[in-house]
Structure formats: C-alpha cells, structure tokens
C-alpha cells in the first residue's frame, strides 16, 4: 500500500508541471495583455495615458518579455511560494489567495459532504426499493435538481428565505460576526450560513451521484455472490452492506477527484449571487482583465487540488478494492 | 407419508415469476424426497426450473418470484419444519441456510466477493452459525481448505481473483461444508470448469459425501455425472417432474418419452463413432405460453390426440421406486 501511495505521489510532479505550462499558455493565448485591457478601460472613462507611460509600465511588469521568460519567472516564484503580483489588485497574489482560498475549500468540501450524505442513502434506498413510489419521487427530484441552473436556484432560495425570515442570507457571517475574532459563537454563525451555498452548489452533483449509486448497486445486487451471501444465512443488512454496497462505492469514490473542480466551477455564479468571498469571483475578474499571474496561479492551485483529490480517491480505492491495490 | 424417514420432502412445489411480459411458471408442481446420505440427481434441459427448485428450497428466489404452492418439509432433530411457511428473510430460515442446508451455485467465478479474502468469507459462516472465536474459526477453515485439496495456508489469505476457476470451486465446496450441513445442493458445480477439473471436483464431492453421510442433490445436464454419482434421478421438463427412478433403472429402462429422448441425444462411448444421435424434435416452448395438457405433447413421438393435449398427467407408478408422469403408463 505504501508503494502504491509513493508511486502516485511521484506521478503528481510531472503532472503538475505539465498543467502549469498548459494553464500559462491558455491564459496568455488571447491577444493583448493586461495593459491593453487597462488602457481601453481608461479610454472608456475619458482618460488617456501616453504611449510612453504605457510602455514604461509594460516593461516594469515584464509584460514585454517572451512567454517562456514570463513562465520561468513565474514558476520559479511559485516553487518558493511567491505567486507574483496581481496587476489589477496591486497586491501579491499569495495574499489574495490566502484570504479567499480557505473559503473556497470550505464551501467545496461542505458541498461534497452534502452530496455524499444525501446521495448515498437515497441511492441505496432506490436500488433496494426499485420502482417504489419513493424511487420515482427521488428520480423526479433528481431531474429537477439537474435541470435548474445553480444561480437560479440560489436566487430562488434567497427570495424564499427573505420572505420567511426577513433576512437576506448573504455572505458567510452575520453582521456582528463579520469582523469579530474567531470564537465558538462565530463558528456556529458560520455553519448557519454555510448550508445554503453547500445546498445550492451540491444539488446538481447530488442528483448525478444518486444515479451513479443506484445503478452501481443494482449491478452488484444481481451478481451471484449476493445470493451466496444470503445462502450463508447472513442477515439482509449484512448481505447488503458487507458486499455489494462496498463494491458499489468504488465508482463513487473515484469521482472525488473531478467532483472538486466541478464544484468549484459551480461556485462562480453562486458566490457572486450569495456574496461569498471565495476565489471564484476574483478568478472571473482576473480572466476578464487579463491579470495573468492571478489567473495563472488560481488555475494552478485548482489543478493542484484536483490532482490531490485524485490522489485521495486513488488511495481510498486501493484501500477498498484489493484488485486495484495489487495491480500496481 | 408424514412419518417416513426422509430428510427433505418436497410436495407439489410451484414457484412462479411475475413480470410485465407475464407469468413464468418456472417450477410448476415438483415432488421428490431425499434421505440422509442419499444422492439425488436432477436433470433436464436448460430453463426447466432446476435452479429455481434449488433456490426455492432455501427460500432464495429473487424478489419477483414467489412460491405459490406446496410444502418443503425438512426434518431436523426429530422436528419437521415446512420451509415454505417460514419468512423468506427471517431468523428461522437463516439458521437453516449454510448450517443445515448448503448450496453451491453454477458460477464459481462470481460466487465469491472479490474484495474479501477467501478465508474471511468462510470464517464468517463458521462464526455466524457456531459462535466460536476467530482463532477457532480460522483453524477450522484451514482444515476445510486442506480437505478440498487446496494449499490452505496460501488460499486462506488469497483474494478470489488470484485463484483459478477450479480452485474457487473447491473453496466454494469448502465453504458450503463448513458447518457440516445434512444436505448439500450442488447446482451444476462443474459446468464452468474444464474437464479435468470437473472430474476432480466430482470425485471430491463424492468422497466427502461418503465420509460425512451427507445428503446431496446434484443438479446437472451431464448424464455421465448422474450415472456415476447418484442413487436416484428426477427428470424435469418445463417446471414439472416427469420421471423418478433409481439411476440404474432409469438408464436401462427409461419410460417417459422425454427421458428416452434425453438419453438418446448424447453419444454413447461403447457404440463408437458414427452412431446416430437423435435430437428431440421441436424446441422448448416459450415459458410464457405453455401448451395445454402434458407440456411435452407437441414434441412427443407417442402423443395420444385428445388425451395428452387435454389433460395433465399425474405421476403413475411403474414400479415401487419408478414413477412417470405420462399417459402411456396409466
Ligand atoms: N429471476 C427470474 N425472473 C424471471 N424469470 C426467471 C428468473 N429466474 C429464472 N427464471 C425463469 O425460470 C425458468 C427456469 O429457470 P432455471 O434457472 O431454474 O433453469 P435451469 O433448469 O436451472 O436452467 P440451466 O440448466 O440453464 O441452469 C426459466 O424460464 C427462467 O427464464
Ligand atoms: Mg440452472
């Protein structure tokens, strides 16, 4: 098992390197650079900037250098923990990330937890009570969940909560806790706000996960070893959970890796609608403003998290299934 | 009837499956009994209800199947229980499964869970029914694996996917024998393994059965297996038992036209090459639309018009131990 994990970790290094190059190229691909967007924005406001100033700034930011030079400067910093300077915010990228990344991770993980807590039991119920009324009901709800766009769902929920309580469920803290130092009460307040984005972002994933779980379990339940387990005299509960349930979990576990980035992209509009200080809104801004170090760093961080997510799901899979463990 | 010495007695068992397409009468009135230490062979074409009969005994039929009629009487310690009257997943039947009656299924490749070791899957049965410590159960498992001819120390911690089909089927036999059941049902235990392994597995089954004085129900397509292993045979056709006889008698003196056809449809060794193999004419009717009267009459060479297509024959006695459900022997 140790060898299996080491093997996977070693593989992460070239993967990440490749991803960093790719993401840098993609971000650099559109014509123009930060200064072009910046200047055109100034012009819209009626101001102008002399070509000399522009060229001076361009040189200062290093925007006039060839792409590979920019890449090497940037990646050398990244290895040392320095992600460069955000041109738009005029602050180190690392500062921006530090302030916002934890919220992004918190919300992604809460959504993931929400997805699993809801989807796995419902999937199991649907598979063991095939074509029952509740099975149909969950199917219907699942389709609706898949079909409603996240931001719309967020707006509906906001309106609904406002109607019921008179409060706008915006942000992650109530006003009195916004700037307060960490305390038990603040954590409680955080959880009171966290459920809504987790619910909104997790709903679509839940619907998909229910279908995966239901289909997998159905598949396993029809295998001969289930009847063998029953023929041993095991209780129905054991027959279900010890054998088919465990194997049906495999595909669910293996989706952890790509569920995380999917949730992240689900976050973008929801964070804007619900006013949550995650990375998603500044990511959008950085792409539109061609703030290349910020955008590149965010893509790189998300890719790293995805690779780590995949590593975690691989380790879990290896632990669940000896066939995978021994194939390495 | 009630006070005879049979271990298991099945009377007029009917198990039907329900689906959108209609009802499949998979087992439609089957009768047999088996004594301690005896071997009963069940044979018949694919789809005639052999497996469903076996599953019905242990109440393992899938959810869409139901036992509609009949009794399955199991004699245990001077008490007789009707398995049909038990709840399908209740405590009583669970205490019989794996302990009093074990079953080996057709598919050795998928009969074990791939994510648990062979040992843990056998130990589980022993601990469930015998309430012993993990250590005792493990020792017993090693003994069992040795008995079926596996290198026990290796096999016990192996995962099923690392064993060959033949080894798995041996491990399956070890598991089914772990609580010394008084009846073992083997549902075509050798169809999925190659010929040399077949012979080994059958020899193993016969040896253990003799040693433990265990009753054995052997379900098979293979007439050679029947003649070698079984004391008596039941032939099934479309969910019904059509002939019962001691093995020797059945082979030398088959009565039912279907049995005759079945015996003629396999080549005989002593007749050498170029012998005539006669297939039974026609095909098995769809299970959704069974013929009226005797369900074999459309394929029967001795069909009596006006009788066979109108009435269902009951079992007639040819002999003390030889019964056949055919109007020719009325
Ligand atoms: N779960 C099920 N649902 C519906 N029909 C079923 C089910 N299981 C079995 N049957 C039907 O019951 C009939 C008897 O099947 P069974 O498996 O007992 O045949 P068999 O004699 O064991 O055949 P084989 O020699 O191929 O194993 C078949 O027509 C089959 O299609
Ligand atoms: Mg069968």
């Amino acid at each position: 098992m140790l060898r299996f994990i080491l093997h996977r970790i070693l593989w992460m290094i070239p993967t990440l390197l490749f991803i960093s190059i790719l993401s840098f190229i993609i971000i650099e691909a559109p014509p123009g650079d930060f200064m072009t967007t910046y200047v055109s924005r100034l012009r819209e406001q009626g101001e102008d900037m002399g070509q000399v100033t522009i060229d001076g700034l361009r040189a200062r930011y290093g925007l006039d250098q060839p792409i590979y030079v920019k890449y090497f400067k940037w990646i050398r910093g990244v290895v040392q923990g320095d992600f460069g300077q955000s041109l738009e915010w005029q602050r180190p990228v690392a500062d921006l990330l530090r302030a916002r990344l934890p919220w992004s991770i918190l919300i992604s993980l809460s959504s993931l937890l929400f997805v699993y807590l809801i989807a796995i039991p419902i999937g199991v119920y649907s598979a063991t009570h095939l074509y029952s009324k509740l099975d149909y009901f969950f199917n219907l709800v699942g389709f609706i969940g898949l079909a409603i766009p996240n931001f719309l769902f967020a707006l509906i929920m906001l309106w609904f909560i406002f109607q019921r309580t008179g409060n706008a469920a915006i942000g992650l803290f109530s006003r009195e806790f916004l700037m307060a130092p960490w305390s038990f009460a603040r954590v409680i307040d955080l959880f009171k706000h966290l459920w809504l984005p987790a619910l909104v972002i997790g709903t679509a994933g839940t619907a998909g996960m229910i279908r995966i779980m239901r289909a997998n379990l159905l598949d396993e339940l029809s295998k001969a070893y289930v009847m063998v387990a029953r023929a041993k005299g095991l209780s129905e509960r054991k027959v279900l959970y010890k054998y088919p349930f465990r194997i049906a979990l495999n595909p669910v576990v293996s989706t952890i890796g790509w569920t995380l980035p999917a949730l992240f992209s689900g976050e973008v509009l929801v964070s804007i609608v619900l006013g949550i200080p995650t990375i998603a809104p500044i990511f959008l801004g950085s792409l539109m403003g061609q703030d290349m170090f910020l955008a590149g760093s965010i893509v790189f961080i998300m890719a790293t998290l995805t690779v780590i997510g995949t590593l975690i799901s691989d380790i879990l899979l290896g632990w669940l299934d000896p066939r995978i463990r021994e194939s390495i | 009837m009630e006070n005879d010495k049979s271990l298991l007695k099945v009377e007029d068992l009917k198990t039907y499956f329900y689906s959108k397409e209609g009802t499949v009468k998979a087992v439609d009135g089957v009768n047999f009994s088996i004594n301690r230490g005896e071997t009963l062979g069940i044979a018949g074409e694919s789809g005639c209800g052999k497996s469903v009969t076996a599953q019905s005994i242990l109440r393992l039929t899938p959810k869409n199947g139901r036992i509609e009629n009949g009794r399955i009487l199991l004699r245990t310690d001077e008490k007789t229980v009707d398995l049909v009257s038990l709840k399908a997943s209740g405590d009583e039947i669970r205490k019989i499964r794996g302990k009093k009656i074990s079953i080996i299924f057709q598919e050795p490749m998928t009969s074990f869970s791939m994510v648990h070791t062979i040992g843990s899957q056998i130990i589980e049965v022993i601990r469930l029914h015998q309430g012993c410590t993990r250590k005792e159960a493990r020792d017993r498992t090693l003994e069992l694996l040795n008995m079926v001819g596996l290198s026990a120390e290796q096999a016990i911690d192996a995962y099923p996917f690392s064993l060959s089909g033949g080894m798995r089927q041996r491990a399956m036999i070890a598991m089914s024998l772990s609580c010394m059941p008084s009846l073992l049902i083997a549902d075509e235990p050798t169809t999925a393994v190659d010929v040399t392994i077949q012979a080994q597995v059958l020899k193993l089954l016969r040896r253990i059965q003799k040693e433990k004085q265990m009753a054995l129900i052997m379900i098979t397509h293979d007439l050679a297996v029947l003649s070698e292993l079984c004391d008596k045979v039941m032939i099934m056709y479309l969910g019904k038992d059509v002939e019962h006889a001691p093995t020797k008698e059945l082979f030398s003196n088959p009565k039912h036209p279907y049995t005759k056809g079945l015996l003629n449809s396999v080549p005989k060794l002593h007749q050498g090459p170029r012998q005539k193999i006669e297939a039974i004419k026609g095909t098995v009717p769809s299970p959704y639309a069974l013929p009226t009267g005797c369900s074999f009459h459309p394929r029967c060479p001795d069909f009596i018009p006006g009788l066979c297509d109108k009435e269902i024959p009951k079992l007639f006695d040819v002999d003390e131990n030889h019964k056949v459900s055919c109007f020719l022997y009325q």
Side-chain angles (χ1 to χ4, degrees), chain B residues 161-221:
Chain B
F161 58 84
S162 63
L163 302 184
S164 69
M167 287 158 92
R168 274 186 227 181
Q169 201 57 305
R170 282 164 187 267
M172 198 65 213
I173 293 174
M175 183 158 92
S176 64
L177 296 174
S178 56
C179 297
M180 283 305 143
S182 32
L183 172 64
L184 175 66
I185 304 173
D187 187 354
E188 301 185 42
T190 57
T191 33
V193 293
D194 69 58
V195 189
T196 44
I197 309 288
Q198 264 181 33
Q200 290 173 11
V201 169
L202 291 175
K203 237 168 103 183
L204 174 70
L205 275 175
R206 185 160 53 183
R207 195 193 83 213
I208 292 167
Q209 193 233 344
K210 287 265 140 44
E211 274 173 27
K212 313 290 177 196
Q213 272 304 295
M214 184 177 65
L216 175 65
I217 295 180
M218 186 77 196
I219 297 175
T220 182
H221 288 286

Side-chain angles (χ1 to χ4, degrees), chain B residues 15-19 24-27 44-55 61-65 106 187-188 219-221 236 238-239 287-288:
Chain B
T15 305
Y16 295 172
F17 287 99
Y18 298 91
S19 69
V24 177
K25 300 182 172 178
V27 176
E45 267 164 307
S46 189
C48 68
K50 306 182 294 292
S51 297
V52 176
T53 303
Q55 289 163 11
T61 37
K63 272 192 191 142
N64 58 333
Q106 256 167 302
D187 187 354
E188 301 185 42
I219 297 175
T220 182
H221 288 286
M236 285 181 71
L238 279 178
Y288 295 107

Side-chain angles (χ1 to χ4, degrees), chain A residues 13 21 23 69 71 73 75 99 116 119 126-127 152 173 182 200 237 273 285 296 321:
Chain A
I13 298 171
I21 295 173
S23 49
V69 175
Y71 172 75
K73 268 170 106 177
I75 196 74
Y116 285 165
S126 288
L152 188 64
F173 294 103
W182 279 108
V200 170
R237 172 170 278 273
V273 172
D321 194 334

